[in-house]
Amino acid sequence: MPRRYDRDSAEFARVLAFSDGLFAIAMTLLIVSVTVPAISDHDSISEMADGLNDRLPDFTSFFISFAVIGRYWLAHHRFISLLRAIDQPLINLNLIYLAFIAFLPFPTALLGEYFENPLSIVIYAVSVGVVSGWEVVLFRRAYRDGLFAKPISPEVYRFGVTASLLPVLFFAISIPIAFVSTTVAAASWFLVIPAGVWIERRAPEGTQELLG
Amino acid sequence: MPRRYDRDSAEFARVLAFSDGLFAIAMTLLIVSVTVPAISDHDSISEMADGLNDRLPDFTSFFISFAVIGRYWLAHHRFISLLRAIDQPLINLNLIYLAFIAFLPFPTALLGEYFENPLSIVIYAVSVGVVSGWEVVLFRRAYRDGLFAKPISPEVYRFGVTASLLPVLFFAISIPIAFVSTTVAAASWFLVIPAGVWIERRAPEGTQELLG
Amino acid sequence: MPRRYDRDSAEFARVLAFSDGLFAIAMTLLIVSVTVPAISDHDSISEMADGLNDRLPDFTSFFISFAVIGRYWLAHHRFISLLRAIDQPLINLNLIYLAFIAFLPFPTALLGEYFENPLSIVIYAVSVGVVSGWEVVLFRRAYRDGLFAKPISPEVYRFGVTASLLPVLFFAISIPIAFVSTTVAAASWFLVIPAGVWIERRAPEGTQELLG
Amino acid sequence: MPRRYDRDSAEFARVLAFSDGLFAIAMTLLIVSVTVPAISDHDSISEMADGLNDRLPDFTSFFISFAVIGRYWLAHHRFISLLRAIDQPLINLNLIYLAFIAFLPFPTALLGEYFENPLSIVIYAVSVGVVSGWEVVLFRRAYRDGLFAKPISPEVYRFGVTASLLPVLFFAISIPIAFVSTTVAAASWFLVIPAGVWIERRAPEGTQELLG
C-alpha cells in the first residue's frame, strides 16, 4: 500500500503549495528577460516607439505563455478539486508533470520569435502535447488508486481519457502540417475548441456532476 | 451553475497561494537585473559613488514598482477578505488580472529610465489603468455571483464601482497631458488621493461596514 | 478601528504566505546570476580550477546573503508566532519591511565583490540597519494595537525595543570606522553577539515566557 | 526548552511554505538562463536545428537538476510527514539544508556543460553529498528532540541513519575515481540503487510502518 495523504493533511497542502509556486514562477519568468530598450535620445517618441516595436515578440510570448500555462493551472486546480486524497505515486507523477510545465516558457519564446520556422511549431506542439498527455497519466493514476471523492463509472472514466487525449491528437497532426505551412499548423490548434464542444455533447450521463 | 469553492476549501486557498506567489515574484523581479557596478580601482570611493549613481534609476524603479504592485496586493487582499466563496468565472478573471500584474515591472522600469519620454508615461498609465479597471471587473463578477460574505445593497455596489473607476479616469486624462509635459502628467496621478477622499465623503451609509 | 484578521483566518495566512514567498525568492536570487565558467579546454582541471576561483566572491555573496536574510526570516517567523491577530496597519508596515528584504541581495553582492571599498561597507550597514530598525517599528505597532497573544508589560516592551535597537547602533557606529578600515568596520558587526548576551542578562522577569 | 510548534499551527505551516517556495524556485531557475538561439535566416530548419543542438546541454542540465532537487523535495515531504511538531533547532537546521538545495543548480549546470572534467564530477559529488548528509542531521535532530509522531526504536533509528548515509558513501568514493574516468565515477552513483535495495532487505521489523 503506498503512503496516502488526506485532503486536510499538511502533506496534501504541500503538494498544492509546491505546484502553485512552480506554476507562478513559470508564468512570470518570461517577463524577466524583456529588457528596457536602449535609445540614444531619451525624449524621442519615434525612437522609443521603434524600441518598443522590437520588444513586441517578447510581449506576445509573455502573454501567450501566461495564457497557455494559466490554462494548465486551471485544469490542475480542477483535477485536484475532484480528489479526496493524494498518494505517493500521484505525487511522483505530479512532479514529472511540473517539470514539463517549467519547461514551457522556452518553446513559447521560440514560437514568439520564429513563428515562420517549422521547427518552432514542432517543438511547441511536442511540448504542449506532452503536458496534455501527462494530464491523462495523472487522471488514470487517480482513478486506479481510488483517489476521487465521488465514485467514477468506467464510462465516465473512458470519456474523461478520450476528451483529454483530443488536444494531444490535434498537436500531433499539426507536426507534419508545419513543414507545409506554419500558419495552417498553428491555426489547426484552434480546432481543439469546436472538437471539445462536439465531444462534450457525447458525454455519458452524470459526467457533469463528476468531472464538472 | 459554475463550480464554487467555499472559503475553507483547499481550492479557495490555492487561488490565494498562487496569486500571492505571483505577486511576490513580480515585486522582487526588478532587483534581479540590477548588477553590481564594474569599477577598475576596487578601493576607490569616487569610482564606486559614480557606479552606484548610474544604478539610481534601477533602485528608483525597484522601489516604485514594489510600492505600486504592493498597493495592488493590498487591494486584492482586502477584496478577497470580503468573499465567502470563489467560483470558476472569478478564478478565470483573477488569472487575467495576474497577467497584468506580472507585466507591471516592465512599464515601471521604462518610466524609471525614460521619465521625460511621453511614451513611457502613456504605457505606464495604460498598464496601471488596465489593472485598476480589471479590479472593477472582479468586483462586478463577485457581486453578480453573490460571493460577498455580507449582502451588498445596489447603492453600495454602485459606489464601489464608481470609486474604483476613479483612478482609471485620472490615468486616462494623463495620457494626452503627457505629450505636453511628462512632469504634469505624472503629477496629475497624485490627484487621485484628494479625489478619493472627496468621493469617500459621499459614500452611502453602511459602506464602511461592508467594504471597509 | 482598523480591519483586523485573526490568526486562523485566510487573510492572516495570506500575509505569511506572501512574506515567505518573497523571502524565498530574495534568498535564491543571487545564485541565478552565477554563470558557469567558460573554459577553452573542456578537460583541463587547472583551467576549471581558475574559472571556479573567479566565481568564489559570487559563492561567498550567495551564502552570506542566504545567512543574513535567513536570520531575518527566523526573526519574522518568531515575531509572528507571538501574535493572535494582524491588522491593516501592521500588514502595510510588513509590506515596507519586505521591500527592504527584497533589496538586500544588492548590498550583499556589493560587499562580496568590493569588500575593501568603504562605500560597500556603508551601503551594507545602512541596508541591514534599516531592516533591523524596521523590526522595531513592527514590534511597536503590534504592541500599540494589542496584537500580542499574551499581555506584555511596559518593562518587557521597553526591553524588547532596546534589544532590537542594539544591532542598529552597531551598524551606525561601523559607518565612520569604514573610512579608516573596512576590516575593522566589518569585524565590529560581530560585537553584536556578546552585546546581545550582555543585554539578555539584564532582561526583566518574564521576558523569556513572553518573547522567547 | 526550545520553542516548539505543533503540526496544526501557522508556524509549522510557514516552515513548509517557505521550504516549498525555495524548492520550486531552485527547480525552475535553470530554465531562465536558456536563451532562444539567434539565427540569421528565420525560416531555416537546419540553422534552427543547429541552434537547438547547441542548447542541448542546457536542456539536459535543467531536467537533471529538476530530477535531483525533485528527489530531495520528495524526501523532505516524506520526512516532514513523520513529524508531529517542529522546534526551533530543527527550523534552523532546515534553513541550512535549504541553502544547500538553493546552491544545487550551479554544480548541475557545471556537470551538464563539462561532463568530461574531473572537477565538475568532484564539485557535483560534494554538493549532493552534503545535501544527503544534512538529511541525516535533520533526522537525528528530530529523533533527539522527540518530534516523530510515532515512537521510533533505537534499532529503527540506527537503520534510518545508516540507510541515509549510504548515498554519501557512494558520492565520496566517486571523487578519487573521477580523476581516472569521469564516466566510471558518474556510473558509480547509480550503484546507490541496488545498494539501497540490499540494505532495505536488512531493515529491522517495524521500519516499514514507521519510516515508510
Side-chain angles (χ1 to χ4, degrees):
Chain A
M1 250 301 275
R3 266 182 304 273
R4 177 176 289 200
Y5 305 107
D6 277 343
R7 170 164 272 270
D8 56 355
S9 68
E11 276 63 41
F12 190 92
R14 273 194 85 173
V15 176
L16 306 192
F18 177 70
S19 303
D20 289 343
L22 198 138
F23 269 107
I25 299 160
M27 287 165 82
T28 327
L29 268 191
L30 275 185
I31 207 69
V32 195
S33 53
V34 184
T35 52
V36 165
I39 62 180
S40 52
D41 177 5
H42 279 211
D43 303 11
S44 162
I45 296 179
S46 66
E47 255 197 84
M48 177 64 97
D50 285 352
L52 291 172
N53 206 40
D54 290 351
R55 295 292 180 281
L56 265 191
D58 294 326
F59 298 152
T60 317
S61 286
F62 167 68
F63 283 109
I64 293 177
S65 179
F66 201 98
V68 170
I69 307 186
R71 210 202 124 280
Y72 284 119
W73 181 78
L74 287 173
H76 192 267
H77 184 270
R78 179 178 166 180
F79 167 65
I80 297 287
S81 78
L82 302 172
L83 306 181
R84 63 184 166 88
I86 200 162
D87 62 3
Q88 198 61 53
L90 190 58
I91 293 175
N92 299 352
L93 294 174
N94 184 57
L95 210 54
I96 298 173
Y97 175 77
L98 292 175
F100 298 141
I101 289 287
F103 182 68
L104 280 185
F106 181 80
T108 314
L110 204 67
L111 194 70
E113 196 136 340
Y114 302 108
F115 183 79
E116 326 76 23
N117 197 304
L119 267 190
S120 306
I121 298 277
V122 170
I123 283 165
Y124 187 85
V126 169
S127 302
V128 291
V130 165
V131 176
S132 291
W134 206 260
E135 286 181 343
V136 182
V137 173
L138 297 179
F139 185 71
R140 241 172 89 102
R141 180 45 52 208
Y143 177 71
R144 300 225 164 158
D145 291 0
L147 299 174
F148 285 106
K150 297 180 195 165
I152 286 182
S153 72
E155 290 78 38
V156 170
Y157 169 66
R158 267 196 304 273
F159 170 76
V161 169
T162 313
S164 304
L165 283 174
L166 200 71
V168 183
L169 184 76
F170 277 83
F171 288 127
I173 291 174
S174 75
I175 291 176
I177 302 179
F179 292 94
V180 183
S181 159
T182 59
T183 312
V184 174
S188 76
W189 296 337
F190 291 93
L191 292 177
V192 163
I193 299 164
V197 173
W198 176 79
I199 207 169
E200 206 79 30
R201 291 231 186 93
R202 300 168 59 102
E205 232 172 287
T207 308
Q208 184 61 28
E209 289 85 72
L210 291 170
L211 305 182
Chain B
M1 253 298 276
R3 264 181 306 272
R4 177 175 290 201
Y5 305 106
D6 278 342
R7 171 165 270 271
D8 56 354
S9 67
E11 276 64 40
F12 190 92
R14 274 194 84 173
V15 175
L16 306 192
F18 176 71
S19 303
D20 288 343
L22 198 137
F23 269 107
I25 299 160
M27 287 166 82
T28 326
L29 269 191
L30 275 186
I31 207 69
V32 195
S33 53
V34 184
T35 52
V36 166
I39 63 181
S40 52
D41 176 5
H42 278 210
D43 302 11
S44 162
I45 296 180
S46 66
E47 255 197 83
M48 177 64 97
D50 286 351
L52 291 173
N53 206 41
D54 290 351
R55 295 292 181 282
L56 265 192
D58 293 327
F59 298 153
T60 318
S61 284
F62 166 67
F63 283 110
I64 294 178
S65 179
F66 202 98
V68 170
I69 307 186
R71 212 203 123 280
Y72 284 120
W73 180 79
L74 288 173
H76 191 267
H77 183 270
R78 179 178 166 179
F79 167 65
I80 298 287
S81 78
L82 302 172
L83 306 182
R84 63 183 167 88
I86 201 162
D87 62 3
Q88 198 61 51
L90 190 58
I91 293 174
N92 299 351
L93 293 174
N94 184 57
L95 210 55
I96 297 173
Y97 175 77
L98 292 175
F100 299 141
I101 289 288
F103 182 69
L104 280 185
F106 180 81
T108 314
L110 204 67
L111 194 70
E113 196 136 340
Y114 302 108
F115 182 79
E116 326 77 21
N117 197 304
L119 266 190
S120 306
I121 299 277
V122 170
I123 283 165
Y124 187 84
V126 169
S127 302
V128 291
V130 165
V131 175
S132 291
W134 205 260
E135 286 181 344
V136 182
V137 172
L138 297 179
F139 185 72
R140 242 172 88 104
R141 179 46 52 208
Y143 176 71
R144 301 226 165 157
D145 291 1
L147 300 174
F148 284 106
K150 296 180 195 164
I152 286 183
S153 72
E155 290 77 39
V156 170
Y157 169 68
R158 265 196 304 274
F159 170 76
V161 169
T162 312
S164 304
L165 282 175
L166 201 72
V168 184
L169 183 75
F170 277 83
F171 288 126
I173 290 173
S174 75
I175 292 176
I177 302 180
F179 292 94
V180 182
S181 159
T182 59
T183 312
V184 174
S188 77
W189 296 338
F190 292 93
L191 293 176
V192 164
I193 300 165
V197 173
W198 176 80
I199 207 168
E200 206 79 30
R201 290 231 185 92
R202 301 170 58 104
E205 233 173 287
T207 308
Q208 185 60 28
E209 290 85 72
L210 290 169
L211 305 183
Chain C
M1 254 295 279
R3 264 182 305 272
R4 177 175 290 201
Y5 305 107
D6 278 342
R7 172 164 270 271
D8 56 354
S9 67
E11 275 64 39
F12 190 92
R14 275 194 83 174
V15 176
L16 306 191
F18 177 71
S19 303
D20 289 344
L22 198 137
F23 269 107
I25 298 161
M27 288 165 82
T28 327
L29 268 192
L30 274 186
I31 207 70
V32 195
S33 53
V34 185
T35 51
V36 166
I39 62 181
S40 52
D41 177 5
H42 278 212
D43 302 12
S44 162
I45 295 179
S46 67
E47 255 197 85
M48 177 64 97
D50 286 351
L52 290 173
N53 206 40
D54 290 350
R55 296 290 181 282
L56 265 192
D58 293 327
F59 298 152
T60 317
S61 285
F62 167 67
F63 283 109
I64 294 178
S65 179
F66 201 97
V68 170
I69 308 186
R71 211 203 124 280
Y72 284 120
W73 181 79
L74 287 173
H76 192 267
H77 184 270
R78 180 178 165 178
F79 168 64
I80 297 287
S81 78
L82 302 171
L83 307 182
R84 61 182 168 89
I86 200 162
D87 63 2
Q88 197 61 51
L90 190 58
I91 293 175
N92 299 351
L93 294 173
N94 185 57
L95 210 55
I96 297 173
Y97 175 77
L98 292 174
F100 299 141
I101 289 288
F103 182 69
L104 280 186
F106 180 82
T108 314
L110 204 67
L111 195 70
E113 196 136 341
Y114 303 107
F115 182 79
E116 325 78 21
N117 198 305
L119 266 191
S120 306
I121 299 277
V122 171
I123 283 165
Y124 187 84
V126 169
S127 301
V128 292
V130 165
V131 176
S132 291
W134 206 260
E135 286 181 344
V136 182
V137 173
L138 296 179
F139 185 72
R140 242 172 88 104
R141 178 48 49 207
Y143 176 73
R144 301 225 164 157
D145 291 1
L147 300 174
F148 284 106
K150 296 180 196 164
I152 286 181
S153 72
E155 290 77 39
V156 170
Y157 169 67
R158 267 196 303 274
F159 169 77
V161 169
T162 313
S164 304
L165 283 175
L166 201 72
V168 183
L169 183 76
F170 278 82
F171 288 126
I173 291 173
S174 75
I175 291 176
I177 302 178
F179 291 94
V180 182
S181 160
T182 59
T183 312
V184 174
S188 76
W189 296 338
F190 291 93
L191 292 176
V192 164
I193 300 164
V197 173
W198 176 79
I199 207 170
E200 206 78 30
R201 290 230 187 93
R202 300 169 60 103
E205 235 173 284
T207 308
Q208 183 61 29
E209 289 86 73
L210 290 171
L211 305 183
Chain D
M1 251 299 277
R3 266 182 303 273
R4 177 175 290 201
Y5 305 107
D6 278 343
R7 169 165 272 272
D8 56 353
S9 68
E11 276 62 41
F12 190 91
R14 274 195 83 175
V15 176
L16 306 191
F18 177 70
S19 304
D20 289 343
L22 198 138
F23 269 107
I25 298 160
M27 288 165 81
T28 327
L29 268 191
L30 274 185
I31 207 69
V32 196
S33 53
V34 185
T35 51
V36 165
I39 61 181
S40 52
D41 177 5
H42 278 212
D43 303 12
S44 162
I45 296 179
S46 66
E47 255 197 84
M48 177 64 97
D50 286 352
L52 291 173
N53 207 41
D54 290 351
R55 295 290 179 283
L56 265 192
D58 294 327
F59 298 152
T60 317
S61 284
F62 167 68
F63 283 110
I64 294 178
S65 179
F66 202 98
V68 170
I69 307 185
R71 210 203 124 281
Y72 284 120
W73 181 78
L74 287 173
H76 192 267
H77 184 270
R78 180 179 164 178
F79 167 65
I80 298 286
S81 78
L82 301 172
L83 307 181
R84 63 183 166 89
I86 200 161
D87 63 2
Q88 197 62 52
L90 190 58
I91 293 175
N92 299 351
L93 294 173
N94 184 56
L95 210 54
I96 298 173
Y97 175 78
L98 293 175
F100 299 140
I101 289 287
F103 183 68
L104 280 185
F106 180 81
T108 314
L110 203 67
L111 194 70
E113 195 136 340
Y114 302 108
F115 182 79
E116 326 78 22
N117 198 304
L119 266 190
S120 306
I121 298 277
V122 170
I123 283 165
Y124 187 84
V126 169
S127 302
V128 292
V130 166
V131 175
S132 291
W134 206 260
E135 286 181 343
V136 182
V137 173
L138 297 179
F139 185 71
R140 242 172 89 103
R141 179 47 51 207
Y143 176 71
R144 302 225 163 157
D145 291 1
L147 300 174
F148 285 106
K150 297 179 195 167
I152 286 182
S153 72
E155 290 78 38
V156 170
Y157 169 67
R158 267 197 303 275
F159 169 77
V161 169
T162 313
S164 304
L165 283 175
L166 200 73
V168 183
L169 183 77
F170 277 83
F171 288 127
I173 291 172
S174 74
I175 291 176
I177 302 179
F179 291 94
V180 183
S181 159
T182 59
T183 311
V184 174
S188 77
W189 296 337
F190 291 94
L191 293 177
V192 164
I193 299 164
V197 173
W198 175 79
I199 207 169
E200 205 78 30
R201 291 232 185 93
R202 299 168 60 103
E205 234 173 285
T207 307
Q208 182 62 29
E209 289 85 72
L210 290 170
L211 306 183

